[in-house]
């Protein structure tokens, strides 16, 4: 007796790399004793190609200043042909609390988060930011992918303002003391370092 039947390959089969299948025939002999026989037919699946893709975007992407909020959107896609489990996200700017997740092939996960622009960012003229997704393939090997989203800050305007006052301001005579007060203000939008104050009258 020949029996032919079909089986549809599942994602679990591809994750395993093969399909183990045993057929067993069981019957009775004339003395009502069990008679049994088995055979297996192993089928291998396509080669495992564990792969993640990360796409990171920012809004806005330019002219941000100190205190502004940048919203980052990260889309993680399983671009391979096996399931990737325990996927975690990390970011070079912020600590992410997103729980680990699993993606089947073609599956996606979108994560959004915010970042507040700092003075250091404006001093640098840009915000470099990389998001990395890391997970495990069915054989417990690491699978990782990253993407960067650069945001430019407002144009640098380095400026200092000096305000000098004197007391008293008139009718001074020989031997009198004049008190000068000098206030230096950073009136630009970037940090100014190594500032030295000099005066034409005193050292």
């Amino acid at each position: 007796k020949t029996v032919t039947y079909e089986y549809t390959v599942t994602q679990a089969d591809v994750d395993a790399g093969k399909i183990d299948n045993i057929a067993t025939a069981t019957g009775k002999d004339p003395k009502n004793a069990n008679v049994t026989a088995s055979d297996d037919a192993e089928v291998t699946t396509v080669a495992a190609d564990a792969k993640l893709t990360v796409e990171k975007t920012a809004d806005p992407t330019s002219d941000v200043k100190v205190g502004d909020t940048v919203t980052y959107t990260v889309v993680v896609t399983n671009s391979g042909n096996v399931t990737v489990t325990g996927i975690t996200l990390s970011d070079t700017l912020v600590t992410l609390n997103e729980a680990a997740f699993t993606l089947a092939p073609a599956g996606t996960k979108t994560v959004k988060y915010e970042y507040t622009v700092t003075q250091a960012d404006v001093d640098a003229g840009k915000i470099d930011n990389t998001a990395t997704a890391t997970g495990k393939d069915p054989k417990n090997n690491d699978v990782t992918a990253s993407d960067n989203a650069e945001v430019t800050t407002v144009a640098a305007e380095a400026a200092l303002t000096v305000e000098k006052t004197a007391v008293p301001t008139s009718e001074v005579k020989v031997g009198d003391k004049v008190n000068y007060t000098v206030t230096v203000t950073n009136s630009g939008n970037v940090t100014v370092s190594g500032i030295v104050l000099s005066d034409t009258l005193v050292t």
Side-chain angles (χ1 to χ4, degrees):
K1 175 75 172 180
T2 299
V3 178
T4 301
Y5 49 94
E6 293 181 341
Y7 171 76
T8 302
V9 181
T10 68
Q11 185 60 55
D13 297 327
V14 177
D15 290 348
K18 62 181 180 178
I19 306 169
D20 281 325
N21 178 242
I22 299 174
T24 302
T26 303
K28 298 284 187 178
D29 69 7
K31 295 183 179 181
N32 206 36
N34 287 332
V35 181
T36 185
S38 299
D39 193 20
D40 69 312
E42 183 181 285
V43 177
T44 58
T45 61
V46 292
D49 181 22
K51 189 183 300 181
L52 292 175
T53 302
V54 174
E55 183 181 1
K56 181 169 190 177
T57 56
D59 181 31
T61 59
S62 61
D63 293 330
V64 297
K65 59 186 183 298
V66 175
D68 283 354
T69 297
V70 179
T71 299
Y72 290 104
T73 301
V74 177
V75 180
V76 183
T77 302
N78 182 338
S79 49
N81 65 359
V82 292
T83 302
V84 179
T85 60
I87 302 169
T88 57
L89 270 179
S90 62
D91 190 278
T92 53
L93 283 180
V94 299
T95 299
L96 300 179
N97 297 314
E98 189 70 25
F101 53 95
T102 295
L103 289 177
T108 64
K109 171 80 170 180
T110 300
V111 178
K112 288 189 176 184
Y113 49 94
E114 295 180 340
Y115 172 75
T116 302
V117 181
T118 67
Q119 184 61 56
D121 299 324
V122 177
D123 289 349
K126 63 180 180 179
I127 306 169
D128 275 325
N129 179 241
T130 301
T132 300
T134 303
K136 296 286 188 179
D137 72 6
K139 293 184 177 179
N140 208 39
N141 296 312
D142 284 338
V143 184
T144 187
S146 300
D147 193 27
N148 177 70
E150 183 180 282
V151 176
T152 56
T153 62
V154 291
E157 295 179 4
L160 294 176
T161 301
V162 175
E163 182 181 1
K164 182 172 185 177
T165 58
V167 176
T169 59
S170 62
E171 298 185 10
V172 294
K173 59 185 183 296
V174 174
D176 284 353
K177 300 291 186 181
V178 178
N179 292 314
Y180 292 104
T181 301
V182 178
T183 303
V184 181
T185 302
N186 182 341
S187 52
N189 64 1
V190 292
T191 302
V192 179
S193 59
I195 300 171
V196 177
L197 195 63
S198 62
D199 191 281
T200 54
L201 286 180
V202 297
T203 56

